[in-house]
Amino acid sequence: MSRLAVPKTYKLFIGGAFPRSESGRTYEVLKADGAFLANAAKASRKDARDAILAARGAVGSWSGATAYNRGQVLYRIAELLEGRRAQFVAEIEDAEGLSRAQATAQVDEAIDRWVWYAGWADKFAQVAGNANPVAGPYFNISVPEPTGVVAIVAPQDSSLVGLVSAIAPALVAGNSVVVVASERYPLSAISLAEVLATSDVPKGVVNILTGSPAEIAPWLASHSDVNAIDLVGAGALDWIDLEIAAADTLKRVLRPETGADAAAPALDRIAAFTETKTVWHTKSLR
């Protein structure tokens, strides 16, 4: 007797759980040839607020972890991605219409970027921080600290690499994130959420919304409990208005990037989501 296939239900990822949109809305995700692929949840303003609340609650535990521990957790994500390469390759093949070799190259690049950022977790402060020369018998040391909750509009033309490239640098420094995935290619984002849910990432550290960036981004930009916003994938939106809304609540803003090198791995992307704290300490007079 033939069996019935069990189609996958793609939901949001908020606070470590997989809820449907509170609005009950979904939208069709199509293959590269226009054929139906899946239904994805269409996040609402309320979903965005819930994600921000979850991210705020997770900042303390994540930023309070040692840098070495954060690096271990990020590397664990890379390990799990490596174990599910075939699934991600198949999803990217279907969604973007790429060859098996091209899709595999994308997945491998995403894994490599996790590893690259994981390696910087316990080294970044040594590069971004500084011992400052001052007059007098004092140590004067500047160290980077996490900004807090970072909202992200992920690159819209990439299933996985762009998403990883936007999320990872914010996590390295100890921030929690709320990310709006690619509207056209959202399935790999939810599959990544399944990886995060089964890794050691604390609940609420990463929250993934699918749906319309044009609808969700204004609420993220204007929300007073978001400390920074990365508009890397917002180039097709009216991002100037988003930047103005972010300025009203004194957010750090990264402007949109385009092209193949958008959100390429860089220490500057980690530094963008940190604040510098300077400490004075007296030297021993003995």
Side-chain angles (χ1 to χ4, degrees):
M1 183 177 68
S2 62
R3 62 182 295 274
L4 293 176
V6 180
K8 184 173 179 177
T9 302
Y10 291 88
K11 302 177 185 178
L12 307 176
F13 184 56
I14 300 175
F18 292 88
R20 292 179 170 83
S21 171
E22 60 82 29
S23 66
R25 298 178 303 169
T26 62
Y27 70 101
E28 289 188 351
V29 180
L30 304 178
K31 294 184 178 181
D33 61 5
F36 175 80
L37 183 58
N39 287 313
K42 190 170 186 178
S44 68
R45 173 186 180 183
K46 174 65 163 56
D47 296 318
R49 289 204 310 266
D50 290 344
I52 293 168
L53 183 64
R56 174 56 61 193
V59 169
S61 62
W62 184 240
S63 63
T66 65
Y68 179 73
N69 180 242
R70 286 198 297 271
Q72 288 179 309
V73 171
L74 294 180
Y75 188 81
R76 175 62 176 162
I77 296 170
E79 289 179 335
L80 294 175
L81 269 175
E82 186 77 41
R84 296 177 62 167
R85 286 172 76 248
Q87 175 193 347
F88 283 94
V89 168
E91 286 180 343
I92 293 173
E93 278 186 279
D94 285 340
E96 298 188 33
L98 302 179
S99 68
R100 176 63 59 88
Q102 290 171 319
T104 299
Q106 283 206 29
V107 175
D108 289 346
E109 179 64 21
I111 295 169
D112 291 348
R113 291 190 182 191
W114 275 122
V115 173
W116 191 84
Y117 278 114
W120 275 107
D122 61 350
K123 304 172 184 67
F124 167 69
Q126 300 172 54
V127 176
N130 195 45
N132 308 308
V134 295
Y138 306 101
F139 293 110
N140 183 261
I141 302 170
S142 295
V143 293
E145 293 193 338
T147 296
V149 176
V150 178
I152 301 170
V153 180
Q156 296 296 295
D157 57 356
S158 169
S159 294
L160 184 63
V161 175
L163 181 71
V164 168
S165 301
I167 293 175
L171 296 181
V172 168
N175 300 290
S176 59
V177 304
V178 177
V179 58
V180 185
S182 169
E183 183 174 14
R184 185 178 178 187
Y185 308 127
L187 304 189
S188 290
I190 299 305
S191 292
L192 177 63
E194 294 171 356
V195 169
L196 297 171
T198 54
S199 68
D200 298 322
V201 180
K203 294 179 180 178
V205 170
V206 180
N207 304 273
I208 299 177
L209 305 176
T210 55
S212 169
E215 178 183 346
I216 304 170
W219 303 113
L220 298 176
S222 62
H223 199 292
S224 60
D225 216 19
V226 173
N227 303 108
I229 186 165
D230 185 353
L231 300 176
V232 60
L237 307 181
D238 192 351
W239 61 269
I240 295 296
D241 282 350
L242 297 176
E243 190 173 33
I244 292 171
D248 286 340
T249 48
L250 304 179
K251 289 179 179 59
R252 181 76 58 86
V253 177
L254 280 189
R255 290 180 168 180
E257 299 179 36
T258 58
D261 290 333
L267 292 181
D268 286 345
R269 292 198 66 80
I270 307 175
F273 304 118
T274 62
E275 306 291 341
T276 300
K277 180 173 76 174
T278 299
V279 179
W280 292 75
H281 195 282
T282 56
K283 294 181 179 177
S284 173
L285 298 180
R286 287 180 149 184

